[in-house]
């Protein structure tokens, strides 16, 4: 394998280590001799490659469905990395922006079940020669012991300049790395979203505080310049706080003027959760922002810093589905190198990209162990719990089960909620009749959502319920679409995870009416819901933050947030409640007209308990 710079040399070139005040003093000194002119001052191209939000996806495999997935995995990204290096072998750096050691059962197993072996992500990333990684919020999910072990196993620094020790404010992580590639000194500053303190258990982040990334960047970037950095890169586990109002899959939509409010919609962030744009616009001296956390493919954004200079921002989506590729043209300016032009693009992982043999061989045993782990029996059912449209188009046992799990988790945390809401995320997740494996349990809740307990009022509830029906097209009861997916809205298409099913409230919809007037009734404990009526609800973090366009939930008050994912609560509930009966779990409190379940599924799955 061809590496641009030996890893030992990269570590030797790293300046300003955690707690190394002598280095910081030297970095800020005005007594340094002038930098000598390099023997070759001809212009050159630097390549920055970036991964982010890998979430322990090494193999092109979906552990939740038990099927291959050709559009993910570091083993495939590795092929793209090595191809990019061949194109610019002496001037390429590889960076990751966090959420690396958690996310799939592979991460769960080697974080919680058996943390003795070298972490599989450390093994794979060492093979690829990363120069640095910014810590992500999910790195803290298993506690500092697991994170510190991972840090000790990788051949590159894990950066986090805004993670400080609460006692004295000193650095808890190495803040930045300064490395030289093809005679150009590149400084990489690592930052993480301050939302860690909202989402994480206190016992997992003892003695730590998470400072404002904008102010942290403002403090460190000048130090990095003084330390000799020609190029300043901010690697942040955080992204833009807005997304395009049009199609975010259109690369041109990310090039719109960020100040034009008609072009951008709020993402439903926590305050300060995604400050990447504010860093680009508010901190002088930055050339590139490599971002993450928002799980979006962002080929290129162009922003202006305080002096009006253009700053480039990119993000390679999640799970190893893309590789970000930044090209910088630099020239010698008498005392240092400077960036003249910049560009970026994303390389897509798909069926045409082969897995890298070296990474595959190194990670194979970890993968095999994880497959065995997720295939273990954890529970049982007396009959199947259907998923997909069959679980969405009627008050279903699967929807009720997820809501029961959320209610129970909230109760264990000390909150007796009035009701819960949840979605059926995919068409693949379901529970079979008989034995249930861990993979089956995980399949019905594939995302990394955590659980919130919120206080909302009847007005918020009513607006959310009405918005809920935007999932559907306006239907003609006498002329229903041929297939179940035909009942969905097509302009715009609404994601399956944005159709919620509620427990404990009595409500119904008439889909023959226009959007905005489909809610037929709304009662709680037999009485009509008032706008000023207060409810305590169980809801996932995505929806609580306004995700999916449900901005009304942001008007509510967050009372508690979990550190564990909802899917982990699902697995624990199934372990504790053997022999789950769909009929006993299913409580009828919701109606949908026309009766879509009977139209599409009664002939194959039998009548539904809650069908009209």
């Amino acid at each position: 394998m061809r590496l641009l710079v030996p890893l030992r040399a990269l570590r030797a070139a790293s300046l300003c280590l955690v707690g190394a005040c002598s280095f910081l003093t030297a970095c800020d000194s005005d007594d340094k001799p002038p930098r000598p002119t390099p023997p070759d001052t001809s212009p050159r191209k630097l390549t920055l490659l970036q991964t982010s939000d890998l979430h322990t996806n090494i193999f092109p495999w979906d552990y939740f469905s038990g099927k291959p997935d050709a559009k993910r995995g570091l083993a495939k990204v590795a092929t793209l990395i090595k191809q990019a290096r061949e194109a610019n072998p002496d001037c390429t750096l590889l960076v990751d922006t966090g959420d690396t050691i958690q996310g799939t059962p592979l991460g769960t197993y080697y974080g919680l079940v058996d943390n003795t072996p070298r972490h599989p992500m450390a093994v794979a990333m060492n093979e690829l020669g990363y120069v640095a990684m910014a810590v992500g919020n999910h790195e803290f999910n298993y506690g500092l012991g697991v994170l510190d072990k991972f840090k000790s196993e990788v051949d590159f620094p894990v950066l986090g300049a805004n993670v400080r020790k609460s006692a004295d404010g000193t650095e808890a992580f190495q803040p930045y790395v300064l490395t030289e590639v093809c005679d150009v000194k590149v400084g990489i500053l690592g930052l993480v979203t301050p939302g860690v303190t909202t989402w994480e258990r206190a016992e997992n982040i003892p003695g730590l505080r998470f400072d404002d990334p904008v102010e942290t960047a403002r403090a460190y970037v000048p130090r990095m310049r003084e330390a000799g950095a020609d190029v300043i890169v901010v690697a942040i586990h955080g992204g833009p706080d807005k997304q395009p109002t049009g199609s975010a899959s259109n690369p041109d939509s990310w090039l719109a003027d960020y100040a034009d409010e008609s072009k951008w919609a709020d993402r439903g962030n926590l305050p300060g959760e995604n400050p990447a744009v504010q860093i680009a616009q508010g901190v002088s001296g930055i050339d590139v922002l490599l971002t993450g956390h928002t799980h979006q493919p962002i080929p290129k954004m162009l922003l202006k810093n305080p002096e009006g200079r253009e700053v480039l921002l990119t993000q390679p989506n999640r799970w190893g589905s893309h590789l970000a590729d930044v090209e910088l043209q630099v020239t010698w300016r008498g005392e240092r190198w400077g960036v003249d032009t910049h560009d970026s693009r994303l390389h897509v992982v798909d069926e045409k990209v082969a897995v890298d043999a070296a990474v595959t061989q190194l990670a194979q045993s970890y993968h095999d162990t994880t497959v065995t782990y997720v295939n273990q029996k954890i529970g049982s059912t007396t009959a199947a719990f259907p998923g997909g449209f069959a679980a969405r188009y009627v008050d279903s046992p699967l929807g009720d089960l997820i809501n029961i799990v959320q209610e129970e988790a909230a109760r264990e945390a000390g909150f007796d909620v009035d009701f819960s809401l949840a979605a059926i995320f995919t068409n693949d997740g379901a529970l079979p009749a008989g034995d249930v494996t861990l993979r089956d349990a995980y399949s019905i809740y594939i995302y990394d959502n955590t659980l919130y307990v919120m206080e909302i009022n009847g007005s918020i509830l009513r607006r959310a319920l009405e918005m809920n029906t935007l999932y559907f097209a306006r239907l003609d009861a006498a002329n229903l679409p041929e297939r179940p997916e035909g009942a969905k809205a097509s302009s715009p298409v609404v994601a399956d995870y944005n159709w919620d099913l509620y427990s404990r409230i009595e409500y119904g919809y008439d889909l023959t009416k226009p959007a905005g007037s489909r809610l037929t009734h709304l009662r709680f404990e037999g009485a009509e819901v008032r706008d000023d009526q207060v409810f305590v609800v169980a809801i996932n973090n995505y929806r609580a933050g306004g995700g999916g366009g449900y901005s009304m939930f942001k008007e509510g008050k967050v009372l508690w947030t979990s550190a564990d994912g909802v899917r982990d609560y699902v697995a624990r509930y199934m372990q504790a409640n053997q022999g789950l009966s769909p009929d006993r779990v299913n409580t009828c409190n919701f109606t949908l007209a026309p009766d879509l379940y009977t139209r599409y599924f009664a002939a194959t799955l039998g009548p539904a308990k809650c069908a009209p």
Side-chain angles (χ1 to χ4, degrees):
M1 182 185 61
R2 189 177 187 181
L3 292 182
L4 51 151
V5 180
L7 295 176
R8 185 179 296 109
L10 290 179
R11 289 195 294 270
S14 174
L15 304 180
C16 302
L17 301 178
V18 175
C21 297
S22 60
F23 283 124
L24 290 176
T25 303
C27 290
D28 293 333
S29 172
D30 294 327
D31 300 327
K32 293 178 296 184
R35 181 173 174 182
T37 301
D40 179 7
T41 59
S42 60
R44 57 208 55 198
K45 179 178 76 174
L46 298 187
T47 300
L48 304 176
L49 303 176
Q50 181 209 359
T51 57
S52 189
D53 297 273
L54 292 170
H55 285 290
T56 61
N57 283 279
I58 299 178
F59 277 66
W61 184 264
D62 183 347
Y63 292 104
F64 302 115
S65 67
K67 300 175 182 178
D69 180 358
K71 298 182 178 181
R72 73 167 82 183
L74 185 59
K76 283 199 162 195
V77 178
T79 298
L80 300 176
I81 291 169
K82 293 180 180 180
Q83 290 172 352
R85 279 204 180 113
E86 286 298 317
N88 193 17
D90 299 319
C91 302
T92 299
L93 296 174
L94 175 61
V95 180
D96 184 79
T97 49
D99 275 9
T100 302
I101 66 172
Q102 176 275 349
T104 69
L106 180 83
T108 303
Y109 187 86
Y110 289 102
L112 296 179
V113 181
D114 183 7
N115 190 233
T116 302
R118 183 181 289 261
H119 198 284
M121 293 304 297
V123 171
M125 295 174 81
N126 287 344
E127 162 65 18
L128 295 173
Y130 282 79
V131 69
M133 167 187 156
V135 67
N137 57 288
H138 281 291
E139 260 67 72
F140 298 93
N141 283 174
Y142 305 131
L144 296 185
V146 172
L147 177 53
D148 287 343
K149 176 177 174 290
F150 173 77
K151 286 168 59 181
S152 73
E153 293 170 344
V154 294
D155 295 333
F156 50 85
V158 177
L159 308 175
N162 64 316
V163 187
R164 320 295 289 195
K165 296 177 182 178
S166 303
D168 56 12
T170 57
E171 298 156 354
F173 284 74
Q174 182 172 327
Y176 67 89
V177 64
L178 194 65
T179 190
E180 189 168 307
V181 58
C182 60
D183 293 328
V184 180
K185 292 185 179 179
V186 179
I188 303 169
L189 176 68
L191 300 166
V192 63
T193 173
V196 176
T197 54
T198 299
W199 305 311
E200 197 52 75
R201 290 178 177 177
E203 58 265 32
N204 284 345
I205 49 174
L208 297 181
R209 76 181 200 217
F210 294 79
D211 287 359
D212 178 5
V214 180
E215 293 304 318
T216 303
R218 194 169 283 135
Y220 275 100
V221 169
R223 293 186 189 180
M224 296 166 69
R225 286 291 186 192
E226 286 296 318
D230 300 305
V231 177
I232 297 289
V233 178
V234 172
I236 177 172
H237 190 76
D241 57 347
K242 297 178 182 178
Q243 59 189 7
T245 53
S247 172
S249 62
N250 178 4
D252 290 341
S253 67
W254 292 99
L255 296 173
D257 181 359
Y258 210 72
D260 185 346
E261 294 185 358
S262 68
K263 302 290 186 182
W264 300 89
D266 185 78
R267 281 186 44 82
N269 312 275
L270 294 172
E273 177 185 351
N274 284 297
V277 170
Q278 289 70 32
I279 292 172
Q281 294 177 333
V283 181
S284 300
I286 296 171
D287 295 295
V288 178
L289 276 98
L290 305 177
T291 72
H293 183 62
T294 63
H295 289 196
Q296 289 175 306
I298 305 176
K300 179 169 59 179
M301 289 181 70
L302 298 173
L303 303 154
K304 293 295 181 65
N305 76 356
E307 290 73 46
R309 184 168 170 270
E310 199 169 72
V311 181
L312 184 146
L313 181 153
T314 189
Q315 184 179 145
N317 206 359
R318 64 182 183 182
W319 301 355
S321 63
H322 297 76
L323 174 70
D325 184 339
V326 177
E327 293 185 357
L328 305 177
Q329 297 291 338
V330 299
T331 57
W332 180 253
R333 297 179 178 176
E335 294 183 353
R336 66 172 64 208
W337 298 92
V339 176
D340 282 346
T341 63
H342 50 214
D343 199 7
S344 63
R345 57 178 175 158
L346 300 182
H347 301 287
V348 178
V349 169
D350 58 19
E351 295 83 357
K352 299 176 184 178
V353 179
V355 295
D356 177 74
V359 170
T360 300
Q361 182 179 8
L362 288 167
Q364 186 68 56
S365 64
Y366 295 100
H367 170 72
D368 293 343
T369 298
T370 302
V371 170
T372 300
Y373 166 65
V374 297
N375 285 336
Q376 67 178 301
K377 176 188 173 182
I378 63 163
S380 60
T381 65
T382 61
F385 286 66
F389 291 113
R392 294 188 198 102
Y393 285 2
V394 72
D395 191 337
S396 68
L398 191 62
D400 282 342
L401 175 61
I402 298 171
N403 278 320
I404 289 170
V405 168
Q406 293 188 165
E407 291 169 4
E408 177 120 333
R411 190 174 301 113
E412 289 174 355
F415 296 92
D416 285 321
V417 298
D418 294 306
F419 58 86
S420 172
L421 60 147
I424 307 299
F425 291 146
T426 74
N427 291 328
D428 297 322
L431 297 179
D435 291 347
V436 173
T437 66
L438 183 61
R439 181 183 60 77
D440 294 324
Y442 279 178
S443 77
I444 68 173
Y445 208 100
I446 67 167
Y447 293 122
D448 295 323
N449 296 133
T450 54
L451 185 65
Y452 277 31
V453 173
M454 291 188 71
E455 186 179 274
I456 66 170
N457 60 30
S459 171
I460 294 171
L461 173 60
R462 190 176 299 276
R463 284 177 282 150
L465 285 168
E466 197 64 71
M467 183 170 179
N468 207 23
T469 67
L470 297 181
Y471 178 73
F472 289 98
R474 188 174 184 181
L475 301 177
D476 178 356
N479 189 27
L480 291 174
E482 186 65 25
R483 298 175 60 83
E485 55 267 31
K488 291 179 57 176
S490 58
S491 182
V493 174
V494 178
D496 292 328
Y497 54 73
N498 282 330
W499 163 248
D500 292 323
L501 298 166
Y502 289 68
S503 67
R504 301 195 182 199
I505 57 171
E506 300 92 51
Y507 68 108
Y509 294 122
D510 183 350
L511 301 180
T512 66
K513 295 183 178 180
S517 59
R518 292 172 169 174
L519 186 64
T520 58
H521 62 280
L522 175 57
R523 295 185 291 272
F524 179 69
E525 295 181 342
E528 292 293 324
V529 170
R530 308 183 314 274
D531 280 355
D532 62 352
Q533 193 168 352
V534 175
F535 299 99
V536 176
V537 304
I539 182 173
N540 73 38
N541 65 304
Y542 176 72
R543 190 68 81 237
Y550 288 80
S551 58
M552 65 287 296
F553 283 117
K554 293 167 63 178
E555 301 170 25
K557 179 182 178 182
V558 176
L559 303 178
W560 174 76
T561 66
S562 75
D564 292 341
V566 175
R567 69 170 179 238
D568 294 315
Y569 288 120
V570 171
R572 290 178 209 161
Y573 184 87
M574 299 204 70
Q575 283 180 305
N577 294 272
Q578 300 289 320
L580 283 174
S581 163
D583 188 64
R584 294 187 62 181
V585 165
N586 203 186
T587 303
C588 303
N589 61 292
F590 153 64
T591 59
L592 193 66
D595 178 7
L596 299 180
Y597 177 90
T598 299
R599 165 69 175 83
Y600 298 115
F601 300 107
T604 55
L605 298 179
K609 174 182 177 180
C610 297

